């Protein structure tokens, strides 16, 4: 933004000097000067719009990456809890949610992320794929302790990435998954149970 403003000021000053030193003498020269100024203003406006679009795209990619990290934190907590409770139903539901979250993480445009964001998304994608592979190998009667240990060991890494990106993990409980809000307040209904 500042660079475009400096270029615009320099162009105006330069045109002012040229007009002062070689003032147009006829209507044709005035028309040429007006057209030149219009072209320069259009170029500067286009550069400004392109700069704003790039910043907006980068902010959107960072937002998707932050949501991906927050959702990964939530689902790994839920998977660790399901293993602690030895609940196969909860485990299977949250495995499916992890697959959805991984697809959300693939939506983050890696070209638009800076170094830290790129490293975070790449690392979290790797953790999610590794967890899905571990869960695919689960037998009929899972080793709940080993599975819980797997998720518990990954949680500090996810929390570290969240904190490093300026988004400390939420502690609002089991309804903090972005996209699967379950409280009645989020749906516009009553908060009291029916």
């Amino acid at each position: 933004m500042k660079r475009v403003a400096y270029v615009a000021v320099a162009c105006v000053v330069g045109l002012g000097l040229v007009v002062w030193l070689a003032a147009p003498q006829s209507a044709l020269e005035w028309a040429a000067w007006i057209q030149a100024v219009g072209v320069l203003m259009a170029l500067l406006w286009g550069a400004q719009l392109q700069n704003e679009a790039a910043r907006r795209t980068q902010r959107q990619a960072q937002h998707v990456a932050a949501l991906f990290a927050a959702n990964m934190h939530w689902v790994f907590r839920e998977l660790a809890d399901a293993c602690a409770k030895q609940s196969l139903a909860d485990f299977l539901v949250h495995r499916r949610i992890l697959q959805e979250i991984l697809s959300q993480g693939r939506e983050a445009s890696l070209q638009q992320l800076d170094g830290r964001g790129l490293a975070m998304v790449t690392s979290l994608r790797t953790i999610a794929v590794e967890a899905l592979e571990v869960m695919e190998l689960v037998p009929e009667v899972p080793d709940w302790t080993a599975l819980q240990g797997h998720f518990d060991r990954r949680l500090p890494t996810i929390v570290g990435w969240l904190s490093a990106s300026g988004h400390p993990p939420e502690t609002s409980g089991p309804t903090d998954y972005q996209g699967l809000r379950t409280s009645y307040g989020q749906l516009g209904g009553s908060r009291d149970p029916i």
Side-chain angles (χ1 to χ4, degrees):
M1 173 83 178
K2 290 181 181 179
R3 183 173 27 187
V4 173
Y6 291 143
V7 170
V9 168
C11 286
V12 168
V13 169
L15 283 174
L17 286 174
V18 170
V19 168
W20 184 57
L21 294 174
Q25 301 298 322
S26 67
L28 187 62
E29 287 180 7
W30 275 109
W33 276 105
I34 298 293
Q35 187 176 11
V37 168
V39 167
L40 286 175
M41 289 176 63
L43 288 173
L44 290 173
W45 182 257
Q48 177 64 23
L49 289 177
Q50 185 177 9
N51 191 17
E52 287 178 15
R55 281 198 315 265
R56 188 173 31 254
T57 302
Q58 184 178 24
R59 280 193 310 269
Q60 182 180 4
Q62 290 171 346
H63 179 71
V64 170
L67 282 177
F68 174 53
N71 291 339
M72 281 280 293
H73 179 255
W74 176 81
V75 79
F76 268 65
R77 273 192 351 233
E78 293 299 313
L79 283 164
D81 289 347
C83 292
K85 294 186 292 188
Q86 298 184 3
S87 172
L88 186 60
D90 285 351
F91 179 79
L92 294 175
V93 166
H94 289 97
R95 179 175 69 183
R96 178 67 184 123
I97 292 173
L98 177 60
Q99 291 170 342
E100 292 176 14
I101 291 171
L102 180 58
S103 68
Q104 177 193 43
R106 289 185 176 130
E107 291 175 9
S109 176
L110 298 180
Q111 293 82 14
Q112 299 298 326
L113 294 171
D114 62 358
R116 180 179 291 163
L118 178 62
M120 177 181 75
V121 170
T122 304
S123 174
L124 293 177
R125 284 181 183 176
T126 302
I127 290 171
V129 168
E130 176 192 37
L132 287 171
E133 288 176 357
V134 166
M135 288 188 280
E136 289 296 322
L137 302 175
V138 172
E140 288 285 323
V141 180
D143 182 359
W144 294 112
T145 306
L147 284 171
Q148 182 181 3
H150 175 82
F151 298 118
D152 284 340
R153 283 191 304 275
R154 291 348 180 243
L155 276 170
T157 302
I158 298 169
V159 169
W161 279 119
L162 278 169
S163 297
S165 66
H167 302 283
E170 295 183 17
T171 57
S172 61
T175 60
D176 62 350
Y177 171 60
Q178 305 291 326
L180 287 181
R181 299 282 186 175
T182 58
S183 69
Y184 288 109
Q186 294 294 326
L187 299 174
S190 171
R191 292 182 183 269
D192 298 326
I194 297 174

